[in-house]
Amino acid sequence: REDGAGTGQPCPCPEPGVEAAGAEERRVCGCCSGLSWPRCCKAPGTKKKAACPGLGLFYTVLSAFLFSVASLFLKKIEDVHSVEVSAFRCVFQMAFVLPGLIYYKTGFLGPKGKRIFLFFRGFLGSSAMILLYYAFQVMPLADATVITFSSPVFTSLLAWIFLKEKYSTWDLLFTLFAITGVILIARPPFLFGSNVTGIEGSYTDHLKGTIAAITSTVSGASTFVIIRKVGKSVHYFLSIWYYAVIGLIGCVIALFVMNEWRLPYCGKDRVLLILIGLLGLGGQVFLTKALQIEKAGPVAIMKTMDVVFAFILQILFLNHLPTWWTVGGALCVVASSSGTAIRKWRQSLKKAKQNEI
């Protein structure tokens, strides 16, 4: 096979039966990304498996759907504290990650110089989960979901502060968009008056849920910055392991302090707890799979389907119509997170092109 159009360079694979002096039995084909000769693109009877276009984006949409259904089930649970739900979620995470740690022989503590980062990653990540579950329980599903989508904006801001990454005027504009969206959803009385409509329960609970969702978003953004700081020196499974173990320990301590530890009385709630753990785990698996086969930019943009699913499920199963304020806030936050994702994506493509040159 000629390499390129008209270059005339032959394929470096040896012909069948031809032996070169000092060559190993299994030769590597330079035109086939390092495949050995029997599996080379020119080997007789060998067919190259075509990649399925859009599979990574499909995984992203499926992940968004599973996360949204898990959030819906959380709203349906009665008499179970959000901290207890988080504890069950951590147990499922540990059960999933433990075989991976054993298989990859990563150990349970990680490299000595990285343990402090792993601890804070676990603490902040589990705190973000607990606060988000609390927000889901006390405020409309779509409102809490939209607020969490401002995470990319806070990630850029924290990366600028702690990692000295570039923070441009565009990043500032996207941050202002996200803050505007959160204000439209929270609707503080000093801006919108005392008569706030379209919320669940009292405005005090709505305000507590908003603060919890914002704190959860900032904590989640902090974990992304820590993961960037650690880089590839720590296995992905080990990062999740710290998240699950520290989260479970924190949840158990908090439940005993609040005297909230109890199994749900209703069989339906027990089933929902199991389903929340399974759906959350499935959503994380599919999101990880999407990031393995697709660029981060398109995945981040497609992940805005979380908001769409949240609106649909809230209308169909919770009989709660979102207000125009919520819709406006959702548009601001989605535009902000999508703009941040597109900008980062274009920067990564430009950097990759420069490296090739």
Side-chain angles (χ1 to χ4, degrees):
R1 182 173 67 89
E2 292 187 353
D3 187 13
T7 58
Q9 296 179 358
C11 172
C13 299
E15 292 295 331
V18 177
E19 301 250 349
E24 296 181 0
E25 237 179 68
R26 293 179 57 116
R27 298 172 179 85
V28 173
C29 173
C31 63
C32 304
S33 304
L35 289 178
S36 57
W37 163 249
R39 295 181 289 119
C40 166
C41 61
K42 295 299 288 181
T46 303
K47 292 183 179 179
K48 188 177 180 181
K49 187 177 179 181
C52 180
L55 184 60
L57 300 182
F58 171 75
Y59 284 153
T60 307
V61 174
L62 184 57
S63 168
F65 178 74
L66 294 178
F67 279 133
S68 299
V69 175
S71 304
L72 174 66
F73 288 163
L74 181 63
K75 297 285 290 183
K76 290 289 188 179
I77 284 184
E78 301 173 0
D79 300 327
V80 181
H81 200 278
S82 59
V83 179
E84 187 172 350
V85 180
S86 303
F88 274 92
R89 171 74 182 273
C90 289
V91 170
F92 275 94
Q93 295 274 27
M94 290 174 64
F96 170 74
V97 172
L98 185 59
L101 293 178
I102 297 173
Y103 178 79
Y104 289 107
K105 300 178 181 179
T106 60
F108 297 96
L109 297 177
K112 286 186 178 180
K114 306 295 181 181
R115 290 174 187 174
I116 184 65
F117 295 108
L118 287 170
F119 171 80
F120 280 109
R121 182 265 183 272
F123 176 75
L124 292 170
S126 57
S127 300
M129 174 183 61
I130 295 169
L131 291 169
L132 179 61
Y133 281 4
Y134 174 77
F136 279 140
Q137 287 187 332
V138 299
M139 67 187 303
L141 179 64
D143 291 13
T145 304
V146 168
I147 291 175
T148 60
F149 259 81
S150 57
S151 179
V153 177
F154 288 109
T155 302
S156 298
L157 181 61
L158 293 174
W160 171 58
I161 296 172
F162 294 104
L163 301 181
K164 308 302 179 185
E165 293 186 3
K166 187 178 179 181
Y167 192 79
S168 66
T169 307
W170 281 106
D171 293 313
L172 177 61
L173 180 63
F174 294 143
T175 302
L176 294 176
F177 259 91
I179 293 173
T180 302
V182 172
I183 290 174
L184 291 177
I185 292 172
R187 281 167 283 169
F190 65 89
L191 289 177
F192 294 84
S194 57
N195 296 324
V196 179
T197 58
I199 62 175
E200 291 180 1
S202 64
Y203 180 75
T204 302
D205 288 338
H206 181 79
L207 187 59
K208 288 179 180 177
T210 302
I211 294 173
I214 295 173
T215 309
S216 170
T217 302
V218 175
S219 298
S222 302
T223 62
F224 287 131
V225 174
I226 292 173
I227 291 172
R228 280 190 197 175
K229 178 69 175 178
V230 172
K232 296 181 180 180
S233 60
V234 175
H235 197 277
Y236 174 73
F237 277 141
L238 194 60
S239 177
I240 300 179
W241 174 255
Y242 267 81
Y243 168 90
V245 171
I246 294 176
L248 180 61
I249 294 172
C251 288
V252 171
I253 294 173
L255 287 170
F256 276 106
V257 170
M258 297 185 299
N259 196 23
E260 289 283 351
W261 177 261
R262 63 181 185 275
L263 285 174
Y265 300 109
C266 178
K268 181 192 76 172
D269 286 348
R270 297 182 184 183
V271 173
L272 290 177
L273 274 175
I274 296 173
L275 290 176
I276 288 171
L278 292 175
L279 290 170
L281 181 59
Q284 194 167 51
V285 168
F286 280 113
L287 182 59
T288 304
K289 191 69 176 174
L291 289 168
Q292 286 177 343
I293 62 178
E294 185 62 78
K295 290 183 174 63
V299 170
I301 297 169
M302 190 60 67
K303 204 175 180 305
T304 55
M305 288 298 296
D306 274 351
V307 177
V308 177
F309 287 133
F311 275 97
I312 294 173
L313 294 176
Q314 178 176 299
I315 294 171
L316 292 180
F317 297 100
L318 300 177
N319 298 319
H320 186 91
L321 290 174
T323 63
W324 286 110
W325 294 114
T326 299
V327 174
L331 291 175
C332 287
V333 172
V334 170
S336 173
S337 60
S338 299
T340 302
I342 292 172
R343 186 172 174 276
K344 298 295 183 185
W345 180 31
R346 291 185 62 183
Q347 284 179 344
S348 64
L349 291 178
K350 185 177 179 181
K351 188 176 180 180
K353 204 170 185 180
Q354 289 175 347
N355 290 338
E356 288 180 3
I357 296 173

